[in-house]
Amino acid sequence: MASGVCAMSKGRDQKATAVDGTELAGASNELTQLRLELKEALDRQTATGEILRVISSSPKSAQPVFETIVQTGLTLFPDATISIALQAGDEVQVVAIAGPDPADVEAWRARFPAPVKRDTMHGFVILDGRIVDVPDVAGASDQFSEGAKNNFLASGYRAVTMMPISMDAAAVGVLAVLRKTTGHLTREQFALLQTFTDQANIAIDNTRLVNDMRQTNEVLATVSEQLAKYIPPQLYQSIIAGEQRAAIEARRKKLTVFFSDIVGFTEITDQLEAEELTSLLNEYLSEMSQIAQAHDAYFDKFIGDAMMFYFGDPDSRGIGEDATACVRMAIEMQRRLARLQAGWREQGL
């Protein structure tokens, strides 16, 4: 009897051991799955982080972002080809593409340029701004024309997921994941593709904003350059620096005003050709303006050969010093004029 008890006890121990082994195997499988999911999550985070880095470092062009998206897709969409195409008039052109097989990549690139029509996949996505997710193009509904489906299948692919790339809420392109095997993307892959699309949208918007700002700055620089010719340099710099408002207002100040013109200028104009007169006058006014600026005079206007400068506004050294500065400027102008006259005589003017 004692022997029978022992046999039963041994059987229970073996059963317990078998149960423990099954549980351990299950736990090991769960751990492996968790590790796989963690790796995929880290890969997705790394990919999106890399794309954001490229976005921040390439504000003037979206092309580096497109290239990064398709290259990153190679690791996150196994055995798939990733393509970005943008609308150009009535056509759509591939601007970035990557896949595991160069021959497959070229087979897809050969399908472009493609027309932007609603019965084509790219045209439908762009014109309607909607997602296309077809697990088997060969068995797709009548939504797309037979020609469009045959053109797709001729590239060797069977399934496709396409998302619209937008600018100002209007679709301007397509991000596509092409597969040779039928079936849908996983939920995680679909969400990742949406993230990639959002990043492509950001890149396009950033590029447009930067280009718009550059054009605006160029216009402002041109206007500013032209404006500088008609107001005193000191006043211009003060306005640009934000130290003074360009406003219409009235105020009273004591100024020292300088007037000057060329004696006998009317007779001179009768003796010189127009080109000679223009050259002489430009040289004279430029030299005098440089002297005025060196003495902190404020330019008011040129009237033919006449010049008008003033001292005391917006900055003043005091009434007496402003007047003294004006006299110093006038003396230097006379000395410079003597040297100019000597040069003009040598030229026969």
Side-chain angles (χ1 to χ4, degrees):
M1 183 177 289
S3 176
V5 172
C6 288
M8 292 176 60
S9 175
K10 182 178 179 180
R12 286 196 298 269
D13 290 342
Q14 289 176 337
K15 184 177 181 181
T17 302
V19 171
D20 290 344
T22 302
E23 291 177 350
L24 288 173
S28 177
N29 291 336
E30 290 180 3
L31 182 59
T32 301
Q33 182 63 28
L34 287 173
R35 286 174 176 171
L36 180 61
E37 292 177 356
L38 177 60
K39 181 182 181 302
E40 291 177 347
L42 290 174
D43 288 343
R44 290 194 295 270
Q45 184 176 358
T46 301
T48 55
E50 175 62 15
I51 296 171
L52 289 174
R53 185 193 66 77
V54 175
I55 289 175
S56 63
S57 62
S58 306
K60 295 181 180 179
S61 173
Q63 187 61 37
V65 180
F66 296 156
E67 297 291 348
T68 303
I69 288 174
V70 297
Q71 291 298 329
T72 301
L74 290 178
T75 61
L76 300 173
F77 297 93
D79 301 324
T81 294
I82 297 86
S83 166
I84 293 179
L86 296 181
Q87 183 177 4
D90 295 332
E91 296 180 335
V92 59
Q93 294 275 8
V94 169
V95 296
I97 184 172
D101 187 339
D104 292 339
V105 168
E106 291 309 312
W108 181 248
R109 196 192 300 272
R111 315 264 72 81
F112 298 87
V116 180
K117 296 181 179 179
R118 188 165 274 102
D119 63 352
T120 66
M121 295 182 190
H122 281 84
F124 177 81
V125 173
I126 291 174
L127 296 176
D128 284 17
R130 293 165 58 186
I131 296 172
V132 165
D133 188 22
V134 183
D136 186 359
V137 174
S141 64
D142 296 334
Q143 180 179 358
F144 308 112
S145 68
E146 288 299 320
K149 289 190 291 185
N150 291 335
N151 184 51
F152 177 90
L153 294 170
S155 66
Y157 297 101
R158 291 290 301 274
V160 63
T161 304
M162 296 182 174
M163 292 190 177
I165 297 174
S166 303
M167 181 175 66
D168 293 334
V172 296
V174 177
L175 174 57
V177 175
L178 314 159
R179 287 99 64 196
K180 285 195 164 186
T181 56
T182 59
H184 290 284
L185 294 177
T186 66
R187 184 177 59 182
E188 291 77 11
Q189 288 176 326
F190 194 86
L192 179 62
L193 188 60
Q194 289 181 314
T195 300
F196 282 180
T197 304
D198 291 340
Q199 291 175 325
N201 296 341
I202 292 172
I204 289 178
D205 286 338
N206 284 354
T207 300
R208 179 183 59 81
L209 288 173
V210 169
N211 290 335
D212 287 349
M213 288 178 62
R214 185 172 67 248
Q215 293 176 2
T216 300
N217 288 339
E218 289 174 354
V219 171
L220 290 176
T222 301
V223 172
S224 178
E225 182 180 347
Q226 295 299 318
L227 181 63
K229 298 178 181 179
Y230 299 98
I231 63 176
Q234 300 92 331
L235 180 59
Y236 168 79
Q237 293 296 336
S238 178
I239 293 174
I240 293 299
E243 300 170 357
Q244 182 163 327
R245 293 184 305 109
I248 299 176
E249 56 185 13
R251 54 184 174 172
R252 185 183 297 271
K253 293 185 75 172
K254 288 188 177 182
L255 305 178
T256 298
V257 184
F258 170 89
F259 297 94
S260 170
D261 64 1
I262 299 175
V263 176
F265 183 71
T266 302
E267 290 76 9
I268 294 174
T269 59
D270 294 335
Q271 299 170 11
L272 299 177
E273 296 293 336
E275 295 81 4
E276 294 176 327
L277 179 62
T278 299
S279 176
L280 181 147
L281 196 58
N282 283 339
E283 183 179 11
Y284 166 72
L285 294 177
S286 296
E287 293 283 343
M288 297 303 109
S289 296
Q290 292 176 10
I291 294 172
Q293 189 170 354
H295 286 269
D296 294 329
Y298 289 85
F299 168 79
D300 185 80
K301 64 175 69 74
F302 291 138
I303 310 173
D305 64 312
M307 299 179 293
M308 179 176 173
F309 297 95
Y310 60 88
F311 294 80
D313 186 66
D315 298 320
S316 175
R317 303 174 186 172
I319 297 175
E321 183 56 33
D322 287 343
T324 301
C326 183
V327 173
R328 292 196 193 101
M329 179 188 72
I331 294 173
E332 184 175 348
M333 284 181 171
Q334 288 181 330
R335 291 171 178 167
R336 182 73 59 86
L337 179 58
R339 292 196 294 271
L340 288 174
Q341 287 173 325
W344 292 332
R345 290 192 188 97
E346 292 178 0
Q347 299 174 38
L349 301 179

